[in-house]
Amino acid sequence: MAGIFSLNSLQAQQTTRIQIKHADAFNYNAKLGKDIQQLIGHVRLNQESTLFFSDSAYVNEKKRNFDAFSHVHIIVNDTLNLYGDKLHYEGRTRTAELFGNVILKDKKATLYTSHLIYNRNTQIAHYDMGGRILSDSNVLRSNLGYYDTKTRIFYFQRHVILNSRDDILQSDTLIYNTNNAIAYIKGPTVIRGKETTIFCSDGWFDTQSHDSKLFARPVIKSKSQTLTADSVIYNHHSTHGKAYGNIQIVDTSRQLVIEGQVSEMWNKTGISYVTKRATAISYDQQDSLFMHADTMWMFLDKKRKAKKMLAYHQVRFFRKDIQGSCDSLAYTMTDSTMRMFHNPVIWSGANQLTSDTISLVIRNGQMDTMTMTNNAFIISKDSTQMFNQIKGRTMIGYFRRNRIHRMKVDGNAQSIYWLRNDNKQLIGLNKAEASDMMIMISDNKIVGIDYLDKPSEKLYPPKEAKGNTSFLDGFNWLNYLRPVSKEDIFTQVKKKSANQNTENFK
């Protein structure tokens, strides 16, 4: 006990005394306490290098504390000043507690509050009754906060609001560095800008450059689109950003979802793209269409609604009633048309449809018409080694309940059709040509062909219906490319030549 007592006594002796430098009047009032001096008028005190000013004060030199009243001013050093209506100061712990119209001011920030505790040992100021901070052009507010005057970093808690030019940040926990004007997000946070609203819980926001880097699945919302990703780099002024990991873009106005692993966006111009396992999902009440491509681009109109989507390279899509493949694709929302380019192929039931380009019109969430331009070709598998075929310059298909029920062939129409009796026994091969042709389809199977304008036909008996006779020029069976499920759209399949496919059936 003696050793401890000696150590405590030594520490008390080493505590610097509070010195009275000036007062207009000195009073003694026994009611205030025998060790208390009452100072009135232009009071000036100091402890070490810290100066204290006020209109009046009660000083207890024995306990080394004092209370100061009216026009309180503390000069901690050349850069740090504190002001208030009332001050209680403990000299032994070097702790100042200020009340009423409190202001803390240094070169980087000014803090306004009604109650503040400042510890000279730790150089940390603490407020718990709400505070407002001005730093550069930023205004920050919170219910509770700490300010490390040595590092010039604020720690905010409870109802934090940061106003930075056109952005408003609201958070539960925030760290703000006044040296570089960067806010570090450490809890549920909302950042509202002119074009977007961001929801996040981890990351940082540079209030000068308006750059932010966000982690832990941030969400960026615009008028009709929502982007979610593992992490996002975004500039709130230019609205340019990049997203990484498990990306999902939802456009509720177009019932469209785009997914991928890497994305870049320019929200001001309404342009964005997704790559690395890029997927588009078009959904309606009946079914959803799943599409994959190497890269997908999205374009918004002036009302911030999706107007066009472009898909490039290795495009494959799947829906229960229709599947497709091509090298590139464009979908325009204004006319609800999907245009397929470079070796396009569509499968509908037992039918394979190919041409130089294919356009598919969708109305009210359902397939309406399809146009096949140049070298249009339909193949329908009849049995293991037999194929019904129709060829022409242009074809127009009409859908009913998302199924093709009629096809019109315009120009140079040719057909090969395997005829069977009611017992499904083979009668022969019918080969026909006409300028135009109308094809009737039921349950995704060809049930009838009407030849228009100068048709010519020839029926081959089964023994003669072999080899080149049973294939039209340009026959290319591509069933190995056909996606069989929504997961299969990601399978990369090397394309075979037309000759290779034909040889397999001769």
Side-chain angles (χ1 to χ4, degrees):
M1 290 295 291
I4 296 174
F5 178 79
S6 299
L7 178 61
N8 291 340
S9 299
L10 179 62
Q11 290 176 336
Q13 291 171 7
Q14 291 175 341
T15 302
T16 306
R17 302 175 75 75
I18 295 170
Q19 295 181 334
I20 302 172
K21 290 295 186 181
H22 178 82
D24 292 345
F26 292 78
N27 292 331
Y28 174 77
N29 187 339
K31 292 181 180 180
L32 297 176
K34 64 178 182 177
D35 299 318
I36 295 176
Q37 293 186 69
Q38 186 179 21
L39 311 180
I40 301 173
H42 300 97
V43 176
R44 181 184 175 190
L45 310 170
N46 79 286
Q47 185 185 42
E48 299 152 337
S49 61
T50 300
L51 303 176
F52 303 87
F53 301 87
S54 64
D55 287 351
S56 62
Y58 299 153
V59 179
N60 189 325
E61 290 190 271
K62 184 176 181 180
K63 291 186 176 181
R64 301 180 186 180
N65 63 28
F66 67 88
D67 293 290
F69 307 93
S70 187
H71 298 101
V72 175
H73 179 197
I74 305 174
I75 302 177
V76 180
N77 52 47
D78 291 342
T79 61
L80 181 62
N81 290 265
L82 294 94
Y83 305 87
D85 293 338
K86 180 181 176 183
L87 165 67
H88 175 73
Y89 184 75
E90 289 288 344
R92 296 183 187 277
T93 60
R94 295 183 175 86
T95 302
E97 186 172 10
L98 293 106
F99 304 86
N101 299 307
V102 179
I103 300 173
L104 181 153
K105 191 171 185 179
D106 66 11
K107 287 184 176 181
K108 292 294 183 178
T110 302
L111 164 65
Y112 300 89
T113 184
S114 59
H115 178 233
L116 180 77
I117 297 173
Y118 177 72
N119 188 309
R120 289 179 55 218
N121 294 325
T122 63
Q123 300 180 53
I124 292 176
H126 165 57
Y127 64 89
D128 55 6
M129 298 181 66
R132 178 170 62 96
I133 295 89
L134 303 181
S135 177
D136 294 324
S137 59
N138 301 316
V139 181
L140 299 100
R141 294 178 174 85
S142 72
N143 288 359
L144 177 67
Y146 297 85
Y147 182 45
D148 188 329
T149 61
K150 183 170 59 178
T151 62
R152 294 193 171 98
I153 295 176
F154 276 99
Y155 300 84
F156 300 105
Q157 292 179 334
R158 299 179 192 169
H159 303 291
V160 184
I161 299 175
L162 187 159
N163 292 78
S164 177
R165 298 180 191 172
D166 297 328
D167 298 306
I168 299 175
L169 184 152
Q170 294 176 288
S171 181
D172 182 69
T173 304
L174 190 74
I175 299 172
Y176 180 76
N177 189 328
T178 62
N179 297 299
N180 54 22
I182 293 178
Y184 297 89
I185 297 162
K186 297 298 178 182
T189 300
V190 180
I191 305 173
R192 291 182 170 87
K194 283 186 175 181
E195 300 289 340
T196 57
T197 300
I198 297 177
F199 302 86
C200 56
S201 59
D202 187 19
W204 54 262
F205 172 53
D206 189 325
T207 62
Q208 293 182 333
S209 67
H210 286 254
D211 288 327
S212 63
K213 190 168 186 178
L214 310 171
F215 312 97
R217 301 293 294 167
V219 177
I220 300 178
K221 280 192 172 186
S222 58
K223 287 185 178 179
S224 61
Q225 285 195 324
T226 301
L227 180 145
T228 308
D230 289 348
S231 62
V232 171
I233 300 172
Y234 190 74
N235 184 280
H236 300 253
H237 182 70
S238 67
T239 68
H240 170 255
K242 294 181 179 181
Y244 302 93
N246 301 306
I247 298 160
Q248 185 180 76
I249 302 172
V250 180
D251 191 307
T252 54
S253 66
R254 302 298 187 185
Q255 295 183 304
L256 182 67
V257 178
I258 297 179
E259 299 176 339
Q261 294 301 314
V262 177
S263 178
E264 190 166 4
M265 68 211 81
W266 296 264
N267 283 333
K268 192 170 288 186
T269 55
I271 300 174
S272 62
Y273 75 82
V274 176
T275 187
K276 304 290 184 184
R277 204 174 171 84
T279 309
I281 304 168
S282 178
Y283 59 92
D284 56 41
Q285 293 180 348
Q286 276 126 26
D287 199 3
S288 296
L289 185 145
F290 297 84
M291 180 187 300
H292 167 65
D294 289 348
T295 305
M296 292 182 177
W297 287 82
M298 180 69 76
F299 299 84
L300 307 182
D301 60 21
K302 292 181 179 180
K303 295 182 179 180
R304 316 305 296 171
K305 291 185 178 181
K307 67 176 181 179
K308 181 168 62 176
M309 185 190 76
L310 303 179
Y312 290 103
H313 309 308
Q314 303 290 333
V315 179
R316 302 180 82 204
F317 63 83
F318 173 86
R319 179 171 159 149
K320 290 179 181 178
D321 44 27
I322 193 168
Q323 300 84 44
S325 173
C326 62
D327 180 71
S328 56
L329 178 148
Y331 178 58
T332 52
M333 287 72 173
T334 50
D335 59 4
S336 300
T337 301
M338 183 170 69
R339 296 173 175 87
M340 302 169 63
F341 307 96
H342 304 294
N343 303 313
V345 54
I346 284 179
W347 296 273
S348 178
N351 305 305
Q352 173 188 292
L353 303 94
T354 60
S355 67
D356 289 354
T357 59
I358 298 177
S359 297
L360 183 63
V361 177
I362 301 170
R363 298 192 191 283
N364 300 319
Q366 299 217 349
M367 288 171 282
D368 184 74
T369 57
M370 177 173 58
T371 302
M372 302 163 61
T373 306
N374 296 328
N375 301 310
F377 211 124
I378 299 178
I379 304 174
S380 177
K381 195 169 186 180
D382 176 71
S383 63
T384 306
Q385 298 292 334
M386 297 180 181
F387 297 89
N388 296 321
Q389 301 154 57
I390 300 166
K391 179 182 177 182
R393 186 172 60 244
T394 300
M395 293 187 191
I396 301 175
Y398 302 89
F399 288 81
R400 182 182 292 165
R401 299 185 185 89
N402 283 319
R403 289 188 174 188
I404 301 173
H405 76 97
R406 184 161 50 97
M407 291 287 298
K408 184 181 179 183
V409 184
D410 291 329
N412 303 322
Q414 303 175 54
S415 71
I416 286 180
Y417 195 77
W418 295 90
L419 298 177
R420 297 179 181 275
N421 59 24
D422 293 339
N423 295 322
K424 297 186 178 179
Q425 293 177 326
L426 183 63
I427 298 173
L429 176 67
N430 183 70
K431 197 167 184 179
E433 294 185 5
S435 296
D436 303 309
M437 191 182 295
M438 187 68 73
I439 307 157
M440 309 308 296
I441 300 172
S442 178
D443 294 327
N444 286 319
K445 295 180 181 179
I446 297 173
V447 295
I449 302 176
D450 291 335
Y451 302 101
L452 311 174
D453 194 10
K454 300 177 181 180
S456 64
E457 296 183 71
K458 185 175 181 179
L459 180 64
Y460 294 85
K463 292 182 179 181
E464 298 179 20
K466 294 180 180 180
N468 292 330
T469 305
S470 59
F471 294 95
L472 293 174
D473 289 341
F475 176 92
N476 194 9
W477 183 241
L478 301 170
N479 203 55
Y480 68 96
L481 292 174
R482 185 175 190 174
V484 296
S485 66
K486 62 183 181 180
E487 292 80 16
D488 194 35
I489 61 176
F490 300 103
T491 304
Q492 297 296 318
V493 183
K494 187 176 180 181
K495 198 164 186 178
K496 302 176 184 178
S497 69
N499 291 335
Q500 285 178 308
N501 289 321
T502 305
E503 288 299 324
N504 292 334
F505 303 104
K506 288 182 179 178

